[in-house]
Structures are given as structure tokens and as C-alpha cells.
Amino acid sequence: MKTIKHSSDRISWIAILQGMATVLVVMNHVRLYDATTGTDFLFVHRIREVFQPFFMATFFFVSGMLLYRTRICIRCGVGTFYKDKAMRLVVPLLFCTVLGCAMQAVFNGVVKHPKEVGLDTFLYALVDYDSTPWPHRWYLISLVWLMLLYPCYLYVSKGGMVAEVIAGVVAIVAYFVDFTDWVDVNWCYLFTMNKHLPFFLLGIVTYKYWLHKWGTGDWCRKIGVVKCWVMNICCWAVYCALYVFTSHDEPWWLLKSVVGVAAITSTSMILAECMPRLFSSFRNYIFPIYLFGIAFQAFVELILWRKLGCPSQLVYAFYVLNVLAGIYLPVLMSLILSRIPVRLLRRCFGLS
């Protein structure tokens, strides 16, 4: 089988992009109860709303780029690909489903939304991600569906630009169809896969025709660092204008998502030029952070914060603590697990 080599400096912008997206995901999971209002502090939700249109879109965008870089461009076999993704995605999905139900049962007395947990809860949690423990598992099952389309990506990529344009148009048309109107439950998140497919395909095409070709350093040196900064500022300015002056309805939401992805990607490319090791303390543990960071954040919010009486004068310090706990405690957990010579166990926690 063919192999492809990429030097670390050629992909540092991707690692930085993943790092920034991960920080935004952790910030999105922050909750801090305000005892005076009975709800979370308003600024927590305001921060989340600013990045809401594009932070998960960025994850799917990066997943598409990495799929092309590591699989499509070397024409990896379908069977080999499915076996690999079953271990990388399905195993942690099943493990997190079991763990989520178990933690719900243990901590029912302190969680915000207690639920009765039984065998039926576990079985239902495999197909319904909105009303069962650890709903953030939706990202895993959505990736599973997208990866199952791997033969289609191979076919489209082999067909060239015409086939890719047709696939992109189909994906965009499907994006505007609300399939959840057809069902009462979004079973296995299959009925919202169309909302993520355009960004996944955009990642594939981007890596194939632009970022993969020029790379961070070559691209910036080719058009000039100043022009890179100008383009980056323009992207963020357009995003801010769209965010302030347009609604959250379609097609504005899609446009904001695309512009936001372009802006954060442009930022990562610039940062890679001057700080190629940025986020190196956690960027190799993106998957464990996404899977388990929310559990550590819940400990900060539901145990530490509330045991102290929700002191409003410490809310900003606890916001930072919540984010740091969501990032670095999963890293610490991963470092410990990496020393255990049981590969299946490491797979359960999202490690290679």
C-alpha cells in the first residue's frame, strides 16, 4: 500500500486549527449557575452564541481535510478504512454510551436533569442522543455516518472537478431540507447528517485543491504575509457583520458558518507561521478532550462551584477554571492511559 509523508511543519496549521476549535467546544460546554436568577450567567451564553455558527462546522471541515490527506489521496481500501473507523469511532461511542448511563445513575442526585437509568436507558441511548445521558455523543455518530460514505468520496474524487461540483451542489440542496420534520426522534442523528456533509466535503476539496497544494508557509510566502493578514481581517469583519446584521435563520446561518470556518482557518495558517507549536500541550488529545472534557467541566460546575455557594465575585475565575479543567484533565487522563498496555482500553477513551 502506498504511504504518504508530511513533515510536521506542513500540517502545523491543521493542528492549530483543531486546537482552536477544541477550545471553542470546551467553552460551549461551560455552565455556571447564577443563584440570584436561577439560571446560568448570561455572559456564558453570550460567548457561546458568538462562535455557535462555525465551531462544530470547523470540526467537520477538519475531518474532511484529514480524510483526504490520510485516506483518499492514497486510495485506501474500503474494507481497511471501515475496520479502522470502527475501532476509532464505534468503540469509543459504545464505551461512552455505557459510561454516560453509569455516571447518570451514580450522580443523579447532583445533575441538573436527573433521569431514571435502567437497561432500557442504555439501549435507547444507542439511538437517541438528545434525551439520554451525554448527548454530545451526537458528533461521534454523525462522523460514523459521514465515514460510511467513504466509497462515494473515492468515486467523486476520482471523477475530478465536475463530479465534485455536482456532489457539492447536491450536498448544499440537501442541507436546506429539514429531515427532522419527518420523524419525532432524530434516530442516530441520521436526519441531521445533511447539515454537516457540506463542511465535510468542503474540507476534502480544500485540502485537495488549495491548502494541500500550497501549505501554510508556501501560501503565505507566495502572496505575502501582509496580504494574509488583510484577508484574515476581512474574513472576521465579514463574519462579525453577518453575525450582527443577519438572522440565525437559513440561508444566513450557512453563510455565517462558511465565513466563520474560512476566518478561523485563515487565522490558524497565520499562527502556524509565527507559533507552530501553539496548543502543543493538548492538541494531540483532541478526541479525549471532546469525549470526556464535559465530565470534568460538570464536576467544576456542579460540585466545586455549587459547594462554594456560587460566589458571583469568582465567576470569571471559575469560567477559566472550567475551561482549563475541560482541556487539561482529559490530557492528564490520556497520559496515564497511554502507559497501560491494553490497546482496546485506549481505544475506548479515544486514544490511538
Side-chain angles (χ1 to χ4, degrees):
M1 181 181 293
K2 294 180 180 179
T3 59
I4 185 167
K5 296 182 180 180
H6 295 261
S7 59
S8 58
D9 61 330
R10 296 282 287 178
I11 60 171
S12 59
W13 62 271
I14 297 182
I16 291 173
L17 180 58
Q18 285 183 302
M20 288 192 292
T22 300
V23 172
L24 293 180
V25 166
V26 174
M27 289 169 61
N28 182 67
H29 289 160
V30 173
R31 300 290 186 274
L32 286 172
Y33 182 75
D34 185 352
T36 62
T37 63
T39 61
D40 291 321
F41 280 87
L42 184 59
F43 83 91
V44 174
H45 295 284
R46 290 281 174 82
I47 293 174
R48 289 171 51 218
E49 289 170 359
V50 172
F51 304 104
Q52 198 79 35
F54 70 87
F55 73 91
M56 285 309 301
T58 301
F59 264 110
F60 288 106
F61 175 74
V62 172
S63 297
M65 287 196 295
L66 293 178
L67 180 68
Y68 185 86
R69 174 183 174 267
T70 62
R71 296 294 188 269
I72 295 177
C73 68
I74 62 172
R75 316 302 292 181
C76 175
V78 175
T80 301
F81 175 80
Y82 282 163
K83 181 179 178 181
D84 176 66
K85 293 306 174 184
M87 293 300 296
R88 292 179 181 273
L89 296 177
V90 178
V91 168
L93 173 62
L94 295 176
F95 176 75
C96 286
T97 300
V98 175
L99 182 63
C101 292
M103 292 186 66
Q104 179 76 44
V106 172
F107 295 104
N108 249 338
V110 295
V111 296
K112 292 181 180 179
H113 306 290
K115 297 183 178 74
E116 184 178 347
V117 178
L119 178 60
D120 59 329
T121 306
F122 165 73
L123 296 176
Y124 197 59
L126 291 173
V127 294
D128 178 17
Y129 296 80
D130 291 324
S131 61
T132 53
W134 285 32
H136 68 295
R137 292 172 298 125
W138 71 264
Y139 175 65
L140 281 176
I141 192 63
S142 297
L143 271 184
V144 169
W145 291 121
L146 290 171
M147 295 303 175
L148 283 173
L149 295 176
Y150 177 69
C152 299
Y153 307 140
L154 287 176
Y155 179 80
V156 170
S157 180
K158 187 177 180 180
M161 190 172 295
V162 173
E164 289 159 350
V165 169
I166 294 173
V169 171
V170 171
I172 292 173
V173 171
Y175 174 91
F176 290 105
V177 179
D178 189 356
F179 293 104
T180 58
D181 286 341
W182 302 1
V183 292
D184 295 326
V185 176
N186 187 8
W187 301 110
C188 293
Y189 258 71
L190 177 62
F191 297 91
T192 48
M193 185 183 71
N194 61 310
K195 299 298 183 181
H196 316 304
L197 182 59
F199 302 102
F200 195 83
L201 293 178
L202 181 62
I204 293 174
V205 172
T206 297
Y207 199 86
K208 180 178 181 180
Y209 288 110
W210 180 39
L211 301 180
H212 174 262
K213 182 178 181 181
W214 296 111
T216 308
D218 291 344
W219 186 76
C220 278
R221 283 189 289 270
K222 188 175 182 66
I223 71 170
V225 175
V226 174
K227 291 182 180 179
C228 283
W229 275 101
V230 171
M231 291 176 61
N232 179 253
I233 293 172
C234 288
C235 284
W236 283 116
V238 172
Y239 177 78
C240 291
L242 288 171
Y243 183 83
V244 172
F245 297 111
T246 65
S247 70
H248 286 340
D249 300 324
E250 302 294 0
W252 295 112
W253 184 270
L254 175 60
L255 184 58
K256 279 185 281 192
S257 299
V258 172
V259 174
V261 169
I264 194 173
T265 301
S266 175
T267 301
S268 72
M269 296 174 71
I270 292 174
L271 291 174
E273 283 294 292
C274 54
M275 295 181 286
R277 296 293 298 165
L278 185 64
F279 303 132
S280 59
S281 60
F282 67 84
R283 68 191 194 187
N284 292 329
Y285 304 98
I286 301 300
F287 214 22
I289 291 173
Y290 183 87
L291 293 177
F292 302 102
I294 193 171
F296 294 109
Q297 291 180 267
F299 174 79
V300 171
E301 197 269 332
L302 297 175
I303 306 298
L304 296 182
W305 175 249
R306 300 201 181 202
K307 286 295 183 182
L308 287 176
C310 307
S312 59
Q313 66 272 21
L314 297 178
V315 64
Y316 296 109
F318 262 83
Y319 183 90
V320 175
L321 177 63
N322 195 302
V323 172
L324 292 176
I327 293 174
Y328 287 106
L329 290 183
V331 171
L332 177 61
M333 177 193 72
S334 300
L335 291 173
I336 295 173
L337 289 169
S338 63
R339 296 180 176 273
I340 301 176
V342 181
R343 191 176 188 185
L344 181 59
L345 178 63
R346 297 198 301 271
R347 290 291 197 192
C348 288
F349 285 86
L351 297 169
S352 299

